[in-house]
Amino acid sequence: MQDAHVQITSQDAIETAIVSGILSARIKPGTRLSENQLATLFEVSRTRVREAMMRLETRCIVQVSPRRGWFVVEPSAEEAMAVYEARRIIEAGLLRSMRTLTDKGITALHGHLAEEKAAMAAGDRQRLTCLMGDFHIRIAELAGNPVLIEILRDLTARTILISMLYQSDFHAMQSHFGHCRIVEAMEKRDFSKAARLSIQHLDEVETGLDLTKRSDPLAELRNSLSLAPKKRPATVSGGHN
């Protein structure tokens, strides 16, 4: 039984470290995750690493490429829209279902907003990316539903990967003000209004994405060889607002 507990703990540690790396924007879309290197870092067998990777694959965080190994996912434009739709449904429903919020909870949210403001003032984009995503997880924690916390953690990780691929500009102040409005409504215990504001906030963030962008798989080699980016032919596509 003790060996089984150690195995589960090591797998959880690998999963937690990878998801945390994505949430803090330290691990980027398309990053290769070597089984050998992870096994060495976590002092476990490759079998344990593979089991952790398979669990992350079911959570849509990583994917396996035949003969190449494990990679952090690069969500498509269609997946991006599906993730934001899921977040709107879950986060608005979570807020509507809230019946109470302690003063301690409000203090924690205000403290989080202060951290966002400090990160903006310091120009710490990586820290800010982490805080922007963590805001939504904190609300789920205040609601006290562990299932929703895990679901939102995974959706937030996928959202950060999406932003790294498709966000044409980082509208930190706009997102921060969106969070402030949600907290203001929660402080008044107007959870229905907070739900509406959460939908509006996610709509604004999604609108800021350029879902016509596609990553260049040869970018690193192209830069190494000092070659100009390949021009893409113009395409006509419908907008998603």
Side-chain angles (χ1 to χ4, degrees):
M1 288 296 292
Q2 186 175 1
D3 288 344
H5 175 72
V6 171
Q7 291 170 6
I8 292 171
T9 301
S10 63
Q11 290 168 17
D12 287 345
I14 295 169
E15 290 181 63
T16 299
I18 291 171
V19 172
S20 295
I22 293 170
L23 287 170
S24 61
R26 288 180 284 109
I27 298 178
K28 302 189 183 318
T31 298
R32 185 173 185 272
L33 301 169
S34 165
E35 286 185 8
N36 284 332
Q37 292 176 353
L38 287 169
T40 300
L41 286 171
F42 287 91
E43 299 180 340
V44 295
S45 67
R46 285 184 60 186
T47 299
R48 296 286 165 252
V49 172
R50 196 172 300 119
E51 289 170 352
M53 291 297 103
M54 290 171 68
R55 285 167 61 175
L56 284 172
E57 185 178 32
T58 65
R59 295 164 63 181
C60 301
I61 301 296
V62 305
Q63 60 188 14
V64 66
S65 177
R67 295 182 297 279
R68 294 183 64 222
W70 296 97
F71 293 82
V72 176
V73 297
E74 296 181 89
S76 67
E78 291 74 20
E79 289 169 331
M81 290 185 286
V83 166
Y84 272 96
E85 180 63 19
R87 285 191 59 182
R88 278 189 286 267
I89 293 169
I90 292 170
E91 294 186 42
L94 184 152
L95 284 164
R96 287 194 192 98
S97 68
M98 289 185 74
R99 294 292 177 265
T100 185
L101 182 60
T102 64
D103 290 340
K104 184 178 179 181
I106 288 295
T107 299
L109 288 175
H110 278 296
H112 186 92
L113 294 177
E115 289 186 65
E116 288 184 1
K117 195 170 182 178
M120 282 189 290
D124 189 344
R125 178 165 177 170
Q126 187 176 85
R127 171 68 175 156
L128 190 55
T129 298
C130 179
L131 288 167
M132 290 296 184
D134 196 47
F135 172 80
H136 301 270
I137 299 170
R138 278 179 177 260
I139 291 178
E141 289 172 344
L142 290 174
N145 188 317
V147 175
L148 285 178
I149 292 169
E150 288 306 308
I151 291 173
L152 271 179
R153 189 178 299 278
D154 285 355
L155 285 175
T156 300
R158 293 171 72 183
T159 301
I160 289 173
L161 293 172
I162 289 163
S163 69
M164 285 191 274
L165 283 173
Y166 299 109
Q167 199 164 46
S168 55
D169 194 11
F170 192 59
H171 301 290
M173 190 62 73
Q174 183 183 26
S175 289
H176 174 69
F177 285 150
H179 292 173
C180 289
R181 287 190 289 269
I182 293 169
V183 171
E184 183 181 354
M186 292 178 70
E187 191 167 11
K188 295 176 180 176
R189 276 58 175 182
D190 190 344
F191 300 115
S192 293
K193 183 177 180 180
R196 293 194 301 272
L197 288 169
S198 74
I199 293 174
Q200 179 183 323
H201 167 61
L202 289 170
D203 283 345
E204 290 172 350
V205 176
E206 185 179 7
T207 301
L209 301 176
D210 181 0
L211 296 178
T212 64
K213 290 171 66 177
R214 291 292 184 272
S215 59
D216 181 1
L218 302 177
E220 187 173 349
L221 179 59
R222 195 186 306 282
N223 290 336
S224 299
L225 298 175
S226 299
L227 298 176
K230 184 178 179 181
K231 292 183 179 179
R232 299 180 183 275
T235 58
V236 177
S237 61
H240 299 281
N241 296 317

